[in-house]
């Protein structure tokens, strides 16, 4: 528990106010006073309503829908605090938008994740605190310290309480070959089996052909993803598992973007329950799609407290 408030300030934009409030509650402080709104023409206006001179400032802001508005809010809040003589400014970004644009996939592609990193540094941030970056190498895009918190302990704890000893007969499944390292670590944490859905497709939103690598016949499965956006991939992977003889299919992910027809696809799909973290605010139709939200507030709260007190946060991050 932080014993005083004078040296630490936690501000938030409009992207995820509830999470910011929960983070503050977890470390026993009140959210700092600020207001972020828009002028009539859409330009962002930011007012910091208390002194930050010499303070350790943490700005909680996910870069989620509306992505560009929330990004501009973050940049302007960082600039405002820096110009108000904050001692140190940490951008707390539970969901780092543009992370999937981390490399060139064809000629003349931008690397937008690097551009966003440059913008945040240029605005005046001293450190970054985020969770489950889509690609770990994005940490290297920042020319300032960047800590990437891990979500799998939260999810593992949830499933341990939900299934108990039954976990040992379950199978953790990676919905594609790419995230297999994350799935393996999660399976080891749960002492569960491991399988992969080998997905071959020509476009991001096409089902393509899918085959299951691993033994899932008659077993309950947990699909593990980092992002659920359109839900096409995870719903298709669940269908492939059921076709391969899986008994029940659960799914979990860190970030629930839930674009386009995601809720409709999840509602009609074979997934018993989708567990998401609140790095992005809960979707208003979550219950309809059998979505359960778990909070990341205690993890971010302890990471912020440890950063403020200059204590290692290695137990949470890499």
């Amino acid at each position: 528990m932080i014993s005083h408030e004078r040296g630490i300030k936690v501000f938030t934009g409009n992207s995820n106010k509830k999470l910011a409030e929960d983070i503050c509650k977890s470390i026993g402080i009140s959210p700092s006073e600020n207001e972020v709104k828009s002028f009539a023409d859409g330009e962002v206006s930011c007012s910091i309503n208390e002194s930050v001179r010499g303070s350790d400032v943490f700005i909680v802001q996910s870069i989620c829908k509306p992505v560009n508005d929330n990004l501009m809010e973050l940049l302007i809040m960082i600039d405002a605090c820096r110009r108000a003589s904050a001692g140190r400014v940490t951008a707390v970004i539970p969901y780092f938008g543009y992370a999937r644009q981390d490399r060139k996939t064809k000629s003349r592609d931008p690397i937008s994740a690097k551009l966003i990193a440059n913008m945040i540094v240029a605005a005046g941030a001293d450190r970054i605190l985020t969770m489950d970056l889509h690609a770990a190498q994005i940490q290297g895009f920042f020319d300032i310290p960047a800590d990437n918190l891990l979500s799998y302990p939260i999810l593992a704890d949830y499933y341990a309480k939900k299934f108990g000893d039954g976990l040992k007969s379950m199978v953790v499944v990676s919905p594609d070959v790419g995230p297999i390292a994350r799935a393996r670590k999660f399976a080891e944490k749960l002492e569960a089996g491991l399988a992969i859905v080998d997905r071959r497709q020509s476009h991001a939103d096409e089902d393509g052909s899918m085959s299951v690598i691993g033994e899932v016949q008659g077993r309950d499965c947990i699909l593990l993803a980092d992002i659920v956006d359109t839900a096409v991939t995870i719903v298709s992977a669940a269908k492939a598992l059921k076709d391969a003889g899986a008994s029940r299919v659960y799914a979990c992910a860190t970030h629930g973007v839930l674009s386009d027809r995601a809720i409709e696809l999840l509602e009609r799909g074979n997934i018993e329950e989708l567990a998401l973290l609140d790095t992005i605010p809960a979707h208003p139709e979550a219950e309809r799609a059998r979505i359960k939200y778990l909070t990341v507030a205690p993890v971010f709260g302890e990471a912020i407290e440890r950063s403020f007190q200059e204590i290692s946060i290695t137990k949470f991050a890499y």
Side-chain angles (χ1 to χ4, degrees):
M1 180 70 66
I2 292 174
S3 59
H4 61 88
E5 296 186 29
R6 187 168 59 183
I8 184 171
K9 306 283 183 180
V10 178
F11 295 98
T12 183
N14 293 313
S15 71
N16 205 338
K17 286 186 174 183
K18 184 180 185 304
L19 176 58
E21 291 168 359
D22 290 344
I23 289 171
C24 289
K25 187 181 297 183
S26 75
I27 54 178
I29 65 172
S30 300
S32 300
E33 295 294 328
N34 71 298
E35 184 178 18
V36 182
K37 55 185 180 180
S38 298
F39 292 112
D41 63 354
E43 292 181 1
V44 174
S45 167
C46 174
S47 299
I48 304 296
N49 298 328
E50 57 185 82
S51 175
V52 297
R53 185 175 297 275
S55 297
D56 202 351
V57 172
F58 296 85
I59 300 173
V60 181
Q61 179 80 340
S62 287
I63 307 177
C64 55
K65 293 182 290 188
V67 175
N68 297 328
D69 290 348
N70 287 328
L71 173 61
M72 283 306 302
E73 286 186 9
L74 174 63
L75 297 174
I76 289 171
M77 283 191 292
I78 293 170
D79 182 72
C81 290
R82 175 58 62 209
R83 293 178 186 276
S85 300
R88 184 168 58 178
V89 179
T90 300
V92 181
I93 312 173
Y95 172 66
F96 186 80
Y98 286 99
R100 285 171 285 181
Q101 300 182 46
D102 63 310
R103 65 193 184 282
K104 293 179 69 171
T105 57
K106 62 180 186 299
S107 299
R108 296 173 295 280
D109 267 2
I111 304 180
S112 302
K114 172 59 175 168
L115 172 62
I116 301 306
N118 289 345
M119 292 168 68
I120 292 170
V121 173
D126 295 295
R127 297 180 306 184
I128 303 296
L129 189 61
T130 187
M131 177 170 275
D132 278 4
L133 287 168
H134 184 65
Q137 65 265 23
I138 294 174
Q139 281 184 282
F141 290 0
F142 292 94
D143 295 325
I144 55 177
D147 291 307
N148 185 33
L149 303 183
L150 302 173
S151 70
Y152 76 84
I154 302 172
L155 294 166
D157 183 64
Y158 170 69
Y159 285 117
K161 291 175 181 176
K162 184 179 181 71
F163 296 113
D165 291 339
L167 277 173
K168 294 182 180 180
S169 63
M170 297 179 73
V171 181
V172 171
V173 183
S174 174
D176 202 353
V177 176
I180 183 61
R182 179 182 283 121
R184 181 182 293 113
K185 189 176 293 186
F186 189 55
E188 290 172 355
K189 181 78 172 177
L190 297 180
E191 299 182 2
L194 180 65
I196 307 166
V197 176
D198 183 19
R199 178 168 58 98
R200 301 183 183 185
Q201 57 183 36
S202 57
H203 297 290
D205 287 340
E206 290 181 1
D207 288 355
S209 62
M210 292 193 167
S211 58
V212 177
I213 303 172
E215 182 54 52
V216 299
Q217 177 74 37
R219 301 174 74 178
D220 290 344
C221 298
I222 303 174
L223 277 163
L224 175 70
D226 64 329
I227 298 172
V228 176
D229 189 351
T230 62
V232 169
T233 297
I234 202 162
V235 168
S236 299
K239 181 178 184 302
L241 289 171
K242 293 292 284 186
D243 290 345
S247 179
R248 293 179 297 178
V249 179
Y250 297 86
C252 60
T254 309
H255 312 294
V257 178
L258 303 177
S259 303
D260 299 334
R261 299 185 300 116
I263 294 296
E264 179 185 339
L265 288 177
L266 289 165
E267 184 182 25
R268 292 191 286 107
N270 296 308
I271 296 172
E272 302 283 332
E273 177 191 80
L274 171 61
L276 297 174
L277 304 186
D278 60 352
T279 57
I280 295 173
H283 194 285
E285 296 182 279
E287 187 175 346
R288 167 187 158 196
R290 303 180 297 282
I291 297 173
K292 181 178 180 62
Y293 281 91
L294 311 175
T295 187
V296 298
V299 173
F300 273 99
E302 188 163 352
I304 286 172
E305 183 176 3
R306 284 171 170 261
S307 296
F308 174 60
Q309 296 177 346
E310 302 295 349
I311 301 172
S312 171
I313 62 171
T314 302
K315 63 179 284 190
F316 304 108
Y318 62 85

